[in-house]
Amino acid sequence: MPAAVVVARQSARVSLMDAAYAIPLAFVLGVLATGMAQRAKRNLEWLRLDGRGTGVAGTAVVLGVLGIALALTCALSVGVYEGVLYYQHHYR
């Protein structure tokens, strides 16, 4: 999402609202990252290793959830922005 915002600021052809098309991609990637990290954590526990990799897998779960939260926050902010624009155009 931050990369999409930077592209929108630097490019004359891409507006900030066009950057909102990256939100579903960010959500899907966050869900995939969380699922893969949880699977890795379960596999490490199943293999009964000495526990060195479980910290990395736990951190990956946290980062995946953070990615999902960021995507939902972006979606909410775009929704509020569209609501403000709708209100300005129809109730002036």
Coordinates of all heavy atoms in Angstrom, one line a residue:
M1 N 0.8 -1.2 0.0 CA 0.0 0.0 0.0 C 0.9 1.3 0.0 O 0.5 2.2 -0.7 CB -0.9 0.0 1.2 CG -2.1 -1.0 1.1 SD -3.0 -0.9 -0.4 CE -3.5 0.8 -0.4
P2 N 1.9 1.3 0.8 CA 2.7 2.5 0.7 C 3.3 2.7 -0.6 O 3.4 3.9 -1.1 CB 3.8 2.3 1.8 CG 3.2 1.4 2.8 CD 2.3 0.5 1.9
A3 N 3.7 1.7 -1.3 CA 4.2 1.8 -2.7 C 3.2 2.3 -3.6 O 3.5 3.1 -4.5 CB 4.8 0.4 -3.1
A4 N 1.9 1.9 -3.5 CA 0.9 2.4 -4.4 C 0.6 3.9 -4.1 O 0.4 4.6 -5.1 CB -0.4 1.6 -4.1
V5 N 0.8 4.3 -2.9 CA 0.6 5.8 -2.6 C 1.7 6.6 -3.2 O 1.5 7.7 -3.8 CB 0.5 6.0 -1.1 CG1 0.5 7.5 -0.7 CG2 -0.8 5.4 -0.6
V6 N 3.0 6.1 -3.1 CA 4.1 6.8 -3.7 C 4.0 6.8 -5.2 O 4.2 7.9 -5.8 CB 5.4 6.0 -3.3 CG1 6.6 6.6 -4.1 CG2 5.7 6.2 -1.8
V7 N 3.5 5.8 -5.8 CA 3.3 5.8 -7.3 C 2.3 6.8 -7.6 O 2.4 7.6 -8.6 CB 2.9 4.4 -7.8 CG1 2.4 4.5 -9.2 CG2 4.1 3.5 -7.7
A8 N 1.2 6.9 -6.9 CA 0.1 7.9 -7.1 C 0.7 9.3 -7.0 O 0.2 10.2 -7.7 CB -1.0 7.7 -6.2
R9 N 1.6 9.5 -6.1 CA 2.1 10.9 -5.9 C 3.1 11.3 -7.0 O 3.2 12.4 -7.4 CB 2.8 11.0 -4.5 CG 1.9 11.1 -3.4 CD 2.6 11.3 -2.1 NE 1.7 11.6 -1.1 CZ 1.8 12.6 -0.2 NH1 2.9 13.4 -0.2 NH2 0.9 12.8 0.7
Q10 N 3.9 10.3 -7.5 CA 4.9 10.6 -8.5 C 4.4 10.6 -9.9 O 4.9 11.3 -10.8 CB 6.0 9.5 -8.4 CG 6.7 9.5 -7.0 CD 7.5 10.8 -6.7 OE1 8.0 11.4 -7.6 NE2 7.5 11.1 -5.5
S11 N 3.3 9.9 -10.2 CA 2.8 9.8 -11.5 C 1.6 10.7 -11.8 O 0.7 10.9 -10.9 CB 2.3 8.3 -11.8 OG 1.7 8.2 -13.0
A12 N 1.6 11.3 -12.9 CA 0.4 12.1 -13.3 C -0.7 11.3 -13.8 O -1.9 11.8 -13.8 CB 0.9 13.1 -14.4
R13 N -0.5 10.1 -14.2 CA -1.5 9.2 -14.8 C -2.3 8.4 -13.7 O -3.4 7.9 -14.0 CB -0.9 8.2 -15.8 CG -0.3 9.0 -17.0 CD 0.3 8.0 -18.0 NE -0.5 6.8 -18.2 CZ -0.1 5.8 -18.9 NH1 1.1 5.7 -19.3 NH2 -0.9 4.8 -19.1
V14 N -1.7 8.2 -12.6 CA -2.3 7.4 -11.5 C -2.7 8.4 -10.4 O -1.9 9.1 -9.9 CB -1.3 6.4 -11.0 CG1 -1.9 5.6 -9.8 CG2 -0.8 5.5 -12.1
S15 N -4.0 8.3 -10.0 CA -4.5 9.1 -8.9 C -4.5 8.3 -7.6 O -4.2 7.1 -7.6 CB -5.9 9.6 -9.2 OG -6.8 8.5 -9.1
L16 N -4.7 9.0 -6.6 CA -4.7 8.3 -5.3 C -5.8 7.3 -5.2 O -5.6 6.2 -4.6 CB -4.8 9.3 -4.1 CG -4.7 8.8 -2.7 CD1 -3.3 8.2 -2.6 CD2 -4.8 9.9 -1.7
M17 N -6.9 7.6 -5.8 CA -8.0 6.6 -5.8 C -7.7 5.4 -6.6 O -8.2 4.3 -6.4 CB -9.3 7.2 -6.2 CG -9.9 8.2 -5.2 SD -10.0 7.6 -3.5 CE -11.2 6.4 -3.7
D18 N -6.9 5.5 -7.6 CA -6.4 4.4 -8.4 C -5.5 3.4 -7.6 O -5.5 2.2 -7.8 CB -5.7 4.8 -9.7 CG -6.5 5.5 -10.7 OD1 -7.8 5.2 -10.7 OD2 -6.0 6.3 -11.5
A19 N -4.8 4.0 -6.6 CA -4.0 3.2 -5.7 C -4.9 2.3 -4.8 O -4.3 1.4 -4.3 CB -3.1 4.1 -4.9
A20 N -6.1 2.6 -4.7 CA -7.0 1.8 -3.9 C -7.2 0.4 -4.5 O -7.7 -0.5 -3.7 CB -8.4 2.5 -3.7
Y21 N -6.9 0.2 -5.7 CA -7.0 -1.1 -6.3 C -6.0 -2.1 -5.7 O -6.2 -3.3 -5.9 CB -6.9 -1.0 -7.8 CG -8.0 -0.3 -8.5 CD1 -7.8 0.8 -9.3 CD2 -9.3 -0.8 -8.4 CE1 -8.8 1.5 -9.9 CE2 -10.4 -0.2 -9.0 CZ -10.1 1.0 -9.8 OH -11.2 1.6 -10.4
A22 N -5.0 -1.6 -5.0 CA -4.1 -2.5 -4.4 C -4.6 -3.0 -3.1 O -3.9 -3.9 -2.5 CB -2.7 -1.7 -4.2
I23 N -5.7 -2.5 -2.5 CA -6.2 -3.0 -1.2 C -6.6 -4.5 -1.3 O -6.1 -5.2 -0.4 CB -7.3 -2.1 -0.8 CG1 -6.8 -0.7 -0.5 CG2 -8.0 -2.6 0.5 CD1 -7.9 0.3 -0.2
P24 N -7.3 -4.9 -2.2 CA -7.7 -6.4 -2.2 C -6.4 -7.2 -2.3 O -6.3 -8.3 -1.7 CB -8.6 -6.6 -3.4 CG -9.1 -5.2 -3.7 CD -8.1 -4.2 -3.3
L25 N -5.4 -6.8 -3.1 CA -4.2 -7.6 -3.2 C -3.5 -7.6 -1.9 O -3.0 -8.7 -1.5 CB -3.3 -6.9 -4.3 CG -1.9 -7.6 -4.5 CD1 -2.1 -9.0 -5.0 CD2 -1.1 -6.8 -5.4
A26 N -3.4 -6.5 -1.2 CA -2.8 -6.5 0.1 C -3.5 -7.4 1.1 O -2.9 -8.1 1.9 CB -2.8 -5.0 0.7
F27 N -4.8 -7.4 1.1 CA -5.6 -8.3 2.0 C -5.3 -9.8 1.7 O -5.1 -10.5 2.6 CB -7.1 -8.0 1.8 CG -7.9 -8.8 2.8 CD1 -8.0 -8.5 4.1 CD2 -8.6 -9.9 2.3 CE1 -8.8 -9.2 5.0 CE2 -9.4 -10.7 3.2 CZ -9.5 -10.3 4.5
V28 N -5.4 -10.1 0.4 CA -5.1 -11.5 0.0 C -3.7 -11.9 0.4 O -3.5 -13.0 0.9 CB -5.4 -11.7 -1.5 CG1 -4.9 -13.0 -2.0 CG2 -6.8 -11.6 -1.8
L29 N -2.7 -11.1 0.1 CA -1.3 -11.4 0.5 C -1.2 -11.5 2.0 O -0.4 -12.4 2.5 CB -0.4 -10.4 -0.1 CG -0.2 -10.4 -1.6 CD1 0.7 -9.3 -2.0 CD2 0.3 -11.8 -2.0
G30 N -1.9 -10.7 2.8 CA -1.8 -10.8 4.2 C -2.4 -12.1 4.7 O -1.9 -12.8 5.6
V31 N -3.6 -12.5 4.1 CA -4.2 -13.8 4.5 C -3.3 -15.0 4.2 O -3.1 -15.9 5.0 CB -5.6 -13.9 3.9 CG1 -6.1 -15.3 4.0 CG2 -6.5 -12.9 4.4
L32 N -2.7 -14.9 3.0 CA -1.8 -16.0 2.6 C -0.6 -16.0 3.5 O -0.1 -17.1 3.9 CB -1.3 -15.8 1.1 CG -2.3 -16.1 0.0 CD1 -1.8 -15.7 -1.3 CD2 -2.6 -17.6 0.1
A33 N 0.0 -14.9 3.8 CA 1.2 -14.9 4.7 C 0.8 -15.4 6.1 O 1.6 -16.2 6.7 CB 1.7 -13.5 4.8
T34 N -0.3 -15.1 6.6 CA -0.7 -15.6 7.9 C -0.9 -17.1 7.9 O -0.5 -17.8 8.8 CB -2.0 -14.9 8.4 OG1 -1.8 -13.5 8.4 CG2 -2.4 -15.3 9.8
G35 N -1.6 -17.6 6.8 CA -1.9 -19.0 6.7 C -0.6 -19.8 6.6 O -0.4 -20.8 7.2
M36 N 0.3 -19.3 5.7 CA 1.6 -20.0 5.5 C 2.4 -20.0 6.8 O 3.1 -21.0 7.1 CB 2.4 -19.4 4.4 CG 1.7 -19.6 3.0 SD 2.5 -18.7 1.7 CE 4.1 -19.6 1.6
A37 N 2.4 -18.9 7.5 CA 3.2 -18.8 8.8 C 2.6 -19.8 9.8 O 3.4 -20.4 10.6 CB 3.2 -17.4 9.3
Q38 N 1.3 -19.8 9.9 CA 0.7 -20.8 10.9 C 1.0 -22.2 10.5 O 1.3 -23.0 11.4 CB -0.8 -20.5 11.0 CG -1.2 -19.3 11.7 CD -2.7 -19.0 11.7 OE1 -3.4 -19.6 10.9 NE2 -3.1 -18.1 12.6
R39 N 1.0 -22.5 9.2 CA 1.3 -23.8 8.8 C 2.8 -24.2 9.1 O 3.1 -25.3 9.6 CB 1.1 -23.9 7.3 CG 1.5 -25.2 6.6 CD 0.5 -26.3 6.9 NE 0.9 -27.6 6.4 CZ 0.4 -28.1 5.3 NH1 -0.6 -27.5 4.7 NH2 0.8 -29.3 4.9
A40 N 3.7 -23.2 8.9 CA 5.1 -23.4 9.2 C 5.3 -23.6 10.7 O 6.1 -24.5 11.1 CB 5.9 -22.2 8.8
K41 N 4.6 -22.9 11.5 CA 4.7 -23.0 13.0 C 4.2 -24.4 13.4 O 4.8 -25.1 14.2 CB 3.8 -21.9 13.7 CG 4.1 -21.8 15.1 CD 3.4 -20.5 15.6 CE 3.8 -20.3 17.1 NZ 3.2 -19.1 17.6
R42 N 3.1 -24.9 12.8 CA 2.6 -26.2 13.2 C 3.5 -27.3 12.7 O 3.8 -28.3 13.4 CB 1.2 -26.5 12.5 CG 0.0 -26.0 13.4 CD -1.3 -26.4 12.7 NE -1.5 -25.4 11.7 CZ -2.0 -25.7 10.5 NH1 -2.3 -26.9 10.2 NH2 -2.2 -24.7 9.6
N43 N 4.1 -27.1 11.5 CA 5.1 -28.1 11.1 C 6.3 -28.2 12.0 O 6.9 -29.3 12.2 CB 5.5 -27.8 9.6 CG 4.4 -28.1 8.6 OD1 3.5 -28.9 8.9 ND2 4.6 -27.6 7.4
L44 N 6.8 -27.0 12.4 CA 7.9 -27.0 13.3 C 7.6 -27.7 14.6 O 8.5 -28.4 15.2 CB 8.4 -25.6 13.5 CG 9.1 -24.9 12.3 CD1 9.3 -23.5 12.6 CD2 10.5 -25.6 12.1
E45 N 6.4 -27.5 15.1 CA 6.0 -28.1 16.4 C 5.9 -29.6 16.2 O 6.2 -30.4 17.1 CB 4.7 -27.5 16.9 CG 4.9 -26.1 17.5 CD 3.6 -25.4 17.8 OE1 2.6 -26.0 17.5 OE2 3.7 -24.2 18.2
W46 N 5.4 -30.0 15.0 CA 5.2 -31.4 14.7 C 6.5 -32.2 14.6 O 6.6 -33.3 15.0 CB 4.3 -31.6 13.5 CG 4.1 -33.0 13.1 CD1 3.2 -33.8 13.7 CD2 4.7 -33.8 12.1 NE1 3.2 -35.1 13.1 CE2 4.2 -35.1 12.1 CE3 5.7 -33.5 11.2 CZ2 4.6 -36.1 11.3 CZ3 6.1 -34.5 10.3 CH2 5.5 -35.8 10.4
L47 N 7.5 -31.5 14.0 CA 8.8 -32.1 13.9 C 9.6 -32.1 15.2 O 10.6 -32.8 15.3 CB 9.6 -31.3 12.8 CG 9.2 -31.5 11.4 CD1 9.9 -30.5 10.5 CD2 9.3 -32.9 10.9
R48 N 9.1 -31.4 16.2 CA 9.7 -31.4 17.5 C 11.2 -31.0 17.4 O 12.1 -31.7 18.0 CB 9.5 -32.7 18.2 CG 8.1 -33.0 18.5 CD 8.0 -34.3 19.4 NE 6.6 -34.6 19.5 CZ 6.1 -35.8 19.3 NH1 6.9 -36.8 18.9 NH2 4.8 -36.1 19.5
L49 N 11.5 -30.0 16.7 CA 12.8 -29.5 16.7 C 13.2 -28.7 18.0 O 12.3 -28.6 18.8 CB 13.0 -28.6 15.5 CG 12.8 -29.3 14.1 CD1 12.9 -28.3 13.0 CD2 13.9 -30.3 13.9
D50 N 14.3 -28.2 18.1 CA 14.7 -27.6 19.3 C 14.1 -26.2 19.5 O 14.4 -25.5 20.5 CB 16.3 -27.5 19.4 CG 16.8 -26.7 18.2 OD1 16.1 -26.3 17.3 OD2 18.1 -26.5 18.2
G51 N 13.2 -25.7 18.7 CA 12.5 -24.5 18.9 C 13.1 -23.3 18.3 O 12.7 -22.2 18.6
R52 N 14.2 -23.4 17.5 CA 14.8 -22.2 17.0 C 13.9 -21.5 15.9 O 14.0 -20.3 15.8 CB 16.1 -22.6 16.3 CG 17.2 -22.9 17.3 CD 18.5 -23.3 16.7 NE 18.3 -24.5 15.9 CZ 19.2 -25.0 15.1 NH1 20.4 -24.4 14.9 NH2 19.0 -26.2 14.5
G53 N 13.2 -22.2 15.1 CA 12.4 -21.6 14.1 C 11.0 -21.1 14.5 O 10.4 -20.4 13.7
T54 N 10.6 -21.5 15.6 CA 9.2 -21.2 16.0 C 9.1 -19.7 16.3 O 8.0 -19.1 16.1 CB 8.7 -22.0 17.2 OG1 9.6 -21.7 18.3 CG2 8.6 -23.4 16.9
G55 N 10.2 -19.0 16.7 CA 10.1 -17.6 16.9 C 10.0 -16.8 15.6 O 9.2 -15.8 15.5
V56 N 10.6 -17.3 14.6 CA 10.5 -16.7 13.3 C 9.1 -16.9 12.7 O 8.5 -16.0 12.2 CB 11.6 -17.2 12.3 CG1 11.4 -16.7 10.9 CG2 13.0 -16.9 12.8
A57 N 8.6 -18.1 12.9 CA 7.2 -18.4 12.4 C 6.2 -17.6 13.2 O 5.2 -17.1 12.6 CB 6.9 -19.9 12.6
G58 N 6.4 -17.4 14.5 CA 5.5 -16.5 15.3 C 5.5 -15.1 14.8 O 4.5 -14.4 14.7
T59 N 6.7 -14.6 14.5 CA 6.9 -13.2 14.0 C 6.2 -13.1 12.6 O 5.6 -12.1 12.4 CB 8.4 -12.9 13.9 OG1 9.0 -13.0 15.1 CG2 8.5 -11.4 13.4
A60 N 6.3 -14.1 11.8 CA 5.6 -14.1 10.5 C 4.1 -14.1 10.7 O 3.4 -13.4 9.9 CB 6.0 -15.3 9.7
V61 N 3.6 -14.8 11.6 CA 2.1 -14.7 11.9 C 1.7 -13.3 12.3 O 0.7 -12.7 11.8 CB 1.7 -15.7 13.0 CG1 0.3 -15.5 13.4 CG2 1.9 -17.1 12.5
V62 N 2.5 -12.7 13.1 CA 2.2 -11.3 13.6 C 2.3 -10.3 12.4 O 1.4 -9.5 12.2 CB 3.2 -10.8 14.7 CG1 3.0 -9.4 15.0 CG2 2.9 -11.6 15.9
L63 N 3.3 -10.5 11.5 CA 3.4 -9.6 10.3 C 2.2 -9.8 9.4 O 1.7 -8.9 8.7 CB 4.7 -9.8 9.7 CG 5.9 -9.3 10.4 CD1 7.2 -9.7 9.7 CD2 5.8 -7.8 10.6
G64 N 1.8 -11.1 9.2 CA 0.6 -11.4 8.3 C -0.6 -10.7 8.9 O -1.4 -10.1 8.1
V65 N -0.9 -10.8 10.2 CA -2.0 -10.1 10.8 C -1.9 -8.6 10.6 O -2.9 -7.9 10.4 CB -2.2 -10.6 12.2 CG1 -3.2 -9.7 13.0 CG2 -2.5 -12.1 12.3
L66 N -0.7 -8.1 10.8 CA -0.5 -6.7 10.6 C -0.8 -6.2 9.1 O -1.4 -5.2 8.9 CB 1.0 -6.3 10.9 CG 1.3 -4.8 10.9 CD1 0.5 -4.1 12.0 CD2 2.8 -4.7 11.1
G67 N -0.5 -7.1 8.2 CA -0.8 -6.8 6.8 C -2.3 -6.8 6.5 O -2.8 -5.9 5.8
I68 N -3.0 -7.7 7.2 CA -4.5 -7.7 7.1 C -5.1 -6.5 7.7 O -6.0 -5.8 7.1 CB -5.0 -9.0 7.7 CG1 -4.6 -10.2 6.9 CG2 -6.6 -8.9 7.8 CD1 -4.9 -11.5 7.6
A69 N -4.6 -6.1 8.9 CA -5.1 -4.9 9.5 C -4.8 -3.6 8.7 O -5.6 -2.8 8.6 CB -4.4 -4.8 10.9
L70 N -3.6 -3.6 8.1 CA -3.3 -2.4 7.2 C -4.2 -2.4 6.0 O -4.7 -1.3 5.7 CB -1.8 -2.5 6.8 CG -1.4 -1.4 5.8 CD1 -1.4 -0.1 6.6 CD2 0.0 -1.7 5.3
A71 N -4.5 -3.5 5.4 CA -5.4 -3.5 4.3 C -6.9 -3.1 4.7 O -7.5 -2.3 4.0 CB -5.5 -4.9 3.6
L72 N -7.3 -3.6 5.8 CA -8.6 -3.2 6.3 C -8.7 -1.7 6.7 O -9.7 -1.0 6.4 CB -9.1 -4.0 7.5 CG -9.3 -5.5 7.2 CD1 -9.6 -6.3 8.5 CD2 -10.4 -5.7 6.2
T73 N -7.6 -1.2 7.2 CA -7.5 0.2 7.5 C -7.6 1.1 6.3 O -8.3 2.1 6.2 CB -6.3 0.6 8.4 OG1 -6.3 -0.2 9.5 CG2 -6.2 2.0 8.7
C74 N -6.9 0.6 5.3 CA -6.9 1.4 4.0 C -8.3 1.3 3.3 O -8.7 2.3 2.8 CB -5.8 0.8 3.0 SG -4.1 1.1 3.5
A75 N -8.9 0.2 3.4 CA -10.3 0.1 2.9 C -11.2 1.0 3.6 O -12.1 1.7 3.0 CB -10.7 -1.4 2.9
L76 N -11.1 1.1 4.9 CA -11.9 2.0 5.7 C -11.7 3.4 5.3 O -12.6 4.2 5.2 CB -11.7 1.7 7.2 CG -12.6 2.5 8.1 CD1 -14.0 2.2 7.9 CD2 -12.1 2.3 9.5
S77 N -10.4 3.8 5.2 CA -10.1 5.2 4.9 C -10.6 5.6 3.5 O -11.1 6.7 3.3 CB -8.6 5.4 5.0 OG -7.9 4.7 4.0
V78 N -10.5 4.6 2.5 CA -11.0 4.9 1.2 C -12.5 5.0 1.2 O -13.1 5.9 0.6 CB -10.6 3.8 0.2 CG1 -11.3 3.9 -1.1 CG2 -9.1 3.9 -0.1
G79 N -13.2 4.2 2.0 CA -14.6 4.3 2.2 C -15.1 5.6 2.8 O -16.1 6.2 2.3
V80 N -14.4 6.1 3.8 CA -14.7 7.4 4.4 C -14.5 8.5 3.4 O -15.3 9.4 3.3 CB -13.9 7.6 5.7 CG1 -14.0 9.0 6.2 CG2 -14.4 6.6 6.8
Y81 N -13.4 8.4 2.7 CA -13.1 9.5 1.7 C -14.2 9.5 0.6 O -14.6 10.6 0.2 CB -11.7 9.2 1.1 CG -11.3 10.2 0.0 CD1 -11.0 11.5 0.4 CD2 -11.2 9.9 -1.3 CE1 -10.6 12.4 -0.5 CE2 -10.9 10.8 -2.3 CZ -10.5 12.1 -1.9 OH -10.2 13.0 -2.8
E82 N -14.6 8.4 0.1 CA -15.7 8.3 -0.9 C -17.0 8.9 -0.3 O -17.7 9.6 -1.0 CB -15.9 6.9 -1.4 CG -14.8 6.5 -2.3 CD -14.8 7.2 -3.7 OE1 -15.9 7.7 -4.1 OE2 -13.7 7.4 -4.2
G83 N -17.2 8.6 1.0 CA -18.4 9.1 1.6 C -18.4 10.6 1.7 O -19.4 11.3 1.5
V84 N -17.2 11.2 2.1 CA -17.1 12.6 2.1 C -17.3 13.3 0.8 O -18.0 14.3 0.6 CB -15.7 13.0 2.7 CG1 -15.4 14.5 2.5 CG2 -15.6 12.6 4.2
L85 N -16.7 12.7 -0.3 CA -16.9 13.2 -1.6 C -18.4 13.1 -2.1 O -18.9 14.1 -2.7 CB -16.1 12.4 -2.6 CG -14.6 12.7 -2.6 CD1 -13.9 11.8 -3.6 CD2 -14.3 14.1 -2.8
Y86 N -19.1 12.0 -1.7 CA -20.5 11.9 -2.1 C -21.3 13.0 -1.4 O -22.2 13.6 -1.9 CB -21.0 10.5 -1.7 CG -22.4 10.3 -2.0 CD1 -22.8 9.9 -3.2 CD2 -23.4 10.4 -1.0 CE1 -24.2 9.7 -3.5 CE2 -24.7 10.2 -1.2 CZ -25.1 9.9 -2.5 OH -26.4 9.7 -2.8
Y87 N -21.0 13.2 -0.1 CA -21.7 14.2 0.7 C -21.5 15.6 0.1 O -22.4 16.4 0.0 CB -21.3 14.1 2.2 CG -22.0 15.1 3.0 CD1 -23.2 14.9 3.5 CD2 -21.3 16.3 3.4 CE1 -23.9 15.9 4.3 CE2 -21.9 17.3 4.2 CZ -23.2 17.0 4.6 OH -23.9 18.0 5.4
Q88 N -20.2 15.9 -0.3 CA -19.9 17.2 -0.8 C -20.7 17.4 -2.2 O -21.1 18.5 -2.4 CB -18.4 17.3 -1.0 CG -17.7 17.6 0.2 CD -16.2 17.7 0.0 OE1 -15.7 17.4 -1.1 NE2 -15.5 18.1 1.0
H89 N -20.8 16.4 -3.0 CA -21.4 16.6 -4.3 C -22.9 16.6 -4.3 O -23.6 17.2 -5.1 CB -20.9 15.5 -5.3 CG -19.5 15.6 -5.6 ND1 -18.8 16.8 -5.6 CD2 -18.6 14.7 -6.1 CE1 -17.5 16.6 -6.0 NE2 -17.4 15.3 -6.3
H90 N -23.5 15.9 -3.3 CA -25.0 15.8 -3.3 C -25.7 16.7 -2.3 O -26.9 16.8 -2.3 CB -25.3 14.3 -3.1 CG -25.0 13.5 -4.2 ND1 -23.8 12.8 -4.4 CD2 -25.7 13.2 -5.4 CE1 -23.8 12.2 -5.5 NE2 -25.0 12.4 -6.1
Y91 N -25.0 17.2 -1.3 CA -25.7 17.9 -0.2 C -25.1 19.3 -0.1 O -25.1 19.9 1.0 CB -25.6 17.2 1.1 CG -26.3 15.9 1.1 CD1 -25.6 14.7 1.1 CD2 -27.7 15.9 1.1 CE1 -26.3 13.5 1.0 CE2 -28.4 14.7 1.0 CZ -27.7 13.5 1.0 OH -28.4 12.3 1.0
R92 N -24.7 19.9 -1.2 CA -24.2 21.3 -1.2 C -25.2 22.2 -1.6 O -26.0 22.2 -2.3 CB -23.0 21.4 -2.1 CG -21.8 21.6 -1.3 CD -20.7 21.8 -2.3 NE -19.5 22.0 -1.4 CZ -18.3 22.3 -1.9 NH1 -18.1 22.3 -3.1 NH2 -17.3 22.5 -1.1

